[in-house]
Amino acid sequence: MSLRTVDAQAVLAGGFDALIDARSPAEFAEDHLPGALNWPVLDDDQRRLVGTLYKEAGALPARKVGAPIVARNIACHLERELGDKPREWQPLVYCWRGGQRSGTLAWFLGEVGFRVARLDGGYKAWRAMVRTQLETLPAAYRYRVLCGRTGSAKTRLLQALAAQGAQVLDLEGLARHRGSVLGALPGTPQPSQKHFEHRVWQALRGFDPARPVWIESESRKIGALRVPEALIAELRERGMCLQLVLPDAARLDLLLDDYAHFLGDPQAFNRQLDALVALRGRTIVSDWQALARAGRWRELFGRLMREHYDPLYDRSLRGHWRALEQAPRLHLSDAGPAALAAAARELLAAGIAPGSDAASRLGPEPAPAAATIVADDNTRSD
């Protein structure tokens, strides 16, 4: 049998043909190593049964019940998965702490004849490494932060930048949430906090420090998830801001498109608005809800912009983004694909930086009609 133990840093270095998670399906669903396969030695109910026996009757009774279950489960995995595996196949196996579950599965694979590695400390050690690196990794990059009121096409511009090869950290995409009280995506639950942090860590590790990273201004929470504190601090202290300005009519069009799933279900929409009662008062929220029931969506979203989103966002920007006062502005005529593609090209060509005379960096050609970048003279009004 060939069995060795490796640490989390060795897993980062690669060299394994498969990463096998021996934990239960629920543990795997909460978070797992990138690209891992789930071969549970105990399913969720079985783990609960054996764990209860261990607490109530002790180790021996629990093992008497658990051992044949584990053996049968591992036999099923081996029969299902090993048929096409060559002798040179080298898997890495892990469980929660690198204990009996991964040890048992690794032993079976080693007895078959494969060169098996087991993660020392298991998922717990991997998670500790991710959390430690998230404290320092954000400082390795330079950030271009898109700021702008709700509906100003920040996320869509990020997508246009990514399509043209820019490095983009889409936190809302990773969190599966648009960030506002109405931001839950239909039929798409948010990941766990652990998995969200894991996805942010993966994205950061994939960036080139020599190139800027484009990102949207975010609050500390996106839906139910917390953005890593070190990343928030880096963005707010040293991020280079760019203010997006879009006409209110175009903002309304974008919001009605983004939240179209509510148009056929005003009751669901109004349930979400209930969360704003403490902030805006029952009278105002009831007025909004009446507009939703009447199907007067454009009027409703116009009021939400003026009475809720704009004051809240403006206050947050002034309070948290130090570079905002010197930030250049990007004036978009609309948020259509052509306008956003043109704006993305212009931004990447201009190398916009706060405090610069952004207009002078566009070269001799005038800016496209769909997007105009100007240095902020602090006299404009959003």
Side-chain angles (χ1 to χ4, degrees):
M1 180 178 70
S2 178
L3 177 61
R4 59 195 174 103
T5 300
V6 300
D7 63 15
Q9 289 293 336
V11 179
L12 279 181
F16 302 102
D17 295 308
L19 306 179
I20 300 175
D21 189 323
R23 299 176 302 158
S24 68
E27 293 172 286
F28 181 83
E30 183 181 22
D31 190 35
H32 50 268
L33 272 64
L37 307 171
N38 191 203
W39 295 16
V41 301
L42 293 169
D43 67 23
D44 297 325
D45 291 337
Q46 294 163 349
R47 178 172 175 255
R48 192 175 302 112
L49 169 65
V50 173
T52 301
L53 272 175
Y54 185 89
K55 291 178 181 178
E56 295 179 352
L60 183 60
R63 287 171 179 165
K64 286 180 179 178
V65 171
I69 298 174
V70 168
R72 284 193 293 270
N73 287 341
I74 290 177
C76 289
H77 296 317
L78 300 184
E79 289 176 347
R80 183 185 66 248
E81 302 289 349
L82 296 188
D84 62 345
K85 301 298 186 291
R87 178 181 293 274
E88 297 76 24
W89 186 63
Q90 295 187 33
L92 175 129
V93 181
Y94 71 93
C95 59
W96 166 240
R97 287 182 296 189
Q100 291 183 339
R101 288 185 289 178
S102 60
T104 303
L105 179 54
W107 180 85
F108 270 98
L109 289 168
E111 286 296 307
V112 172
F114 297 115
R115 190 162 183 262
V116 186
R118 185 168 61 148
L119 176 57
D120 186 28
Y123 169 81
K124 186 177 181 180
W126 176 268
R127 168 72 178 158
M129 181 195 69
V130 169
R131 292 188 66 182
T132 298
Q133 291 191 6
L134 276 176
E135 294 175 0
T136 58
L137 194 56
Y141 305 101
R142 296 173 292 117
Y143 298 95
R144 302 290 187 266
V145 185
L146 301 182
C147 300
R149 290 173 166 179
T150 299
S152 57
K154 299 183 295 293
T155 300
R156 296 188 186 195
L157 182 54
L158 278 185
Q159 294 166 350
L161 287 161
Q164 297 190 32
Q167 296 189 136
V168 166
L169 182 57
D170 182 0
L171 291 175
E172 292 184 5
L174 297 178
R176 299 174 190 156
H177 196 281
R178 291 196 175 100
S180 71
V181 69
L182 303 173
L185 303 179
T188 306
Q190 289 194 266
S192 69
Q193 180 67 36
K194 291 179 180 179
H195 194 53
F196 172 62
E197 291 176 4
H198 209 159
R199 300 180 80 186
V200 173
W201 171 82
Q202 280 183 271
L204 288 171
R205 288 190 70 248
F207 292 143
D208 178 0
R211 300 170 57 210
V213 174
W214 294 83
I215 191 169
E216 181 177 342
S217 60
E218 297 288 357
S219 63
R220 280 185 160 83
K221 291 190 71 176
I222 302 177
L225 301 176
R226 298 181 305 278
V227 178
E229 188 60 34
L231 178 58
I232 284 288
E234 191 68 26
L235 295 176
R236 291 181 175 178
E237 293 293 327
R238 284 174 286 278
M240 297 181 177
C241 294
L242 173 70
Q243 292 196 67
L244 269 60
V245 182
L246 190 67
D248 283 351
R251 291 173 61 205
L252 271 174
D253 290 339
L254 186 146
L255 289 172
L256 288 169
D257 184 53
D258 277 352
Y259 296 106
H261 55 281
F262 281 124
L263 304 189
D265 193 356
Q267 288 185 337
F269 182 88
N270 284 343
R271 285 194 296 270
Q272 298 295 315
L273 289 184
D274 282 333
L276 297 178
V277 170
L279 185 64
R280 298 299 176 199
R282 170 52 68 187
T283 300
I284 290 177
V285 171
S286 294
D287 287 348
W288 295 341
Q289 291 171 327
L291 291 174
R293 287 191 295 271
R296 293 159 62 181
W297 293 102
R298 194 170 187 87
E299 181 181 352
L300 169 57
F301 273 97
R303 285 192 57 181
L304 282 171
M305 283 168 44
R306 294 188 302 274
E307 298 171 9
H308 173 65
Y309 284 119
D310 289 357
L312 190 68
Y313 197 86
D314 290 348
R315 186 165 62 250
S316 176
L317 283 179
R318 287 193 300 270
H320 294 126
W321 298 91
R322 292 191 176 185
L324 188 65
E325 290 301 319
Q326 293 77 39
R329 297 188 179 201
L330 173 63
H331 290 265
L332 295 167
S333 61
D334 66 81
L340 293 174
R345 285 193 300 270
E346 189 171 352
L347 288 174
L348 295 177
I352 297 302
S356 66
D357 182 357
S360 70
R361 301 185 62 171
L362 298 177
E365 294 297 322
T372 304
I373 304 175
V374 297
D376 190 2
D377 60 7
N378 293 322
T379 62
R380 289 183 175 271
S381 171
D382 283 321

